[in-house]
Amino acid sequence: MSGFWYTEKQTPNLGYSCKFTKTLHTETTPFQELAIIDTEQWGRMLVLDNMVMTTINDEFVYHEMISHVALNTHPNPKKVMIIGGGDGGAIREAVKHPSVEKAVLCEIDGRVIETSKEYLPEIASALFGHPKVEVLVADGVKHIQENAGEYDVIMVDSTEPIGPAEGLFALEFYKDVYRALKPDGIMVAQTESPFVNADLIRRVFQDIQSVFPVTKLYTASIPTYPSGLWTFTMGSKVYDPEQADLSKAPDIETRYYTPALHKAAFQLPRFVEALTKKD
Ligand code: AAT
């Protein structure tokens, strides 16, 4: 095979490879190893600690699905928080909502933000001085502890639950997120693959369910993440995402999300649905 190949060792028994043409950037930040490579299939790719975070050609799935499901479930989201998400993709989608007046990004690693602006400007577009956007370089766990009753929607766009993101998958954190939300607020977190991380999904679902009256799991197909089938877990104080009146949703240009898919994403394969039941 000619050319260079990048492999993410997704588990001790599973790898994901793609051919790349160039390494555009590598560095060790105070928090992680950061790289940008240019791949044949997916275009530029952001890699943290040797794990694929996002790529130019499939990022739309993840960023639309982490943001629009919650933002269209809430009837009038005004203030939004994104924890992690330093590439800017989730906040780019959030500020498309006319009701959103302010979107705050709280990313622990400022180098992810700066490198994404330099090499992934299509994804980071809202980070170049957008009037609705505020950027904080800080630990999301701490920010959430210190801001009660602030947000309509909180998205947890985090790395895997190792290193700095460990606290973002803890029961205490979900309790703090509940407090940081307004009385009808909604949270959503990326919660990994049901093929690879079933135990994590089960545990996180139960933890969020112990805090929020409405807790729902939904899926999306993300080709560059382990197994390609990905989950998001939503915790809501009042609104049920499956009952949302999407006829009033703003007309936002998307490539993956549709109102019908919003509802369909909650229809789970049986083995995934099983992860939401107490055993
Ligand atoms: N938008 C898709 C990209 C990501 S990156 C997730 C970000 O979370 C990283 O930039 C990381 O620095 C940041 N992060 C980790 N821990 C914290 C924390 N405690 N506070 C704030 N930010 C944090 C998500 C990829 C999804 C999974 C891929 N397999």
Side-chain angles (χ1 to χ4, degrees), residues 32 53 63 84 87 106-108 112 139-140 157-160 164-165:
Q32 51 214 342
M53 292 296 123
H63 293 130
D87 54 71
C106 182
E107 160 66 56
I108 203 167
V112 176
D139 184 349
D157 180 4
S158 75
T159 37
E160 283 62 26

Side-chain angles (χ1 to χ4, degrees), residues 8 31-32 46 48 51-54 62-63 83-90 106-109 112 138-141 157-160 163-168 190 192 224-226 230:
E8 174 183 335
F31 298 97
Q32 51 214 342
L46 169 65
L48 293 177
M51 289 177 273
V52 180
M53 292 296 123
T54 197
Y62 179 89
H63 293 130
I83 296 171
D87 54 71
C106 182
E107 160 66 56
I108 203 167
D109 190 342
V112 176
D139 184 349
V141 174
D157 180 4
S158 75
T159 37
E160 283 62 26
E166 208 179 325
L168 301 176
Q190 78 84 4
E192 311 279 319
T224 57
Y225 287 175
W230 211 247

Side-chain angles (χ1 to χ4, degrees), residues 69 72-74 239-247 262-263:
V69 180
N72 284 340
T73 296
H74 195 295
Y239 309 115
D240 181 337
E242 291 189 89
Q243 304 300 326
D245 177 5
L246 299 175
S247 66
H262 172 128
K263 299 283 170 87

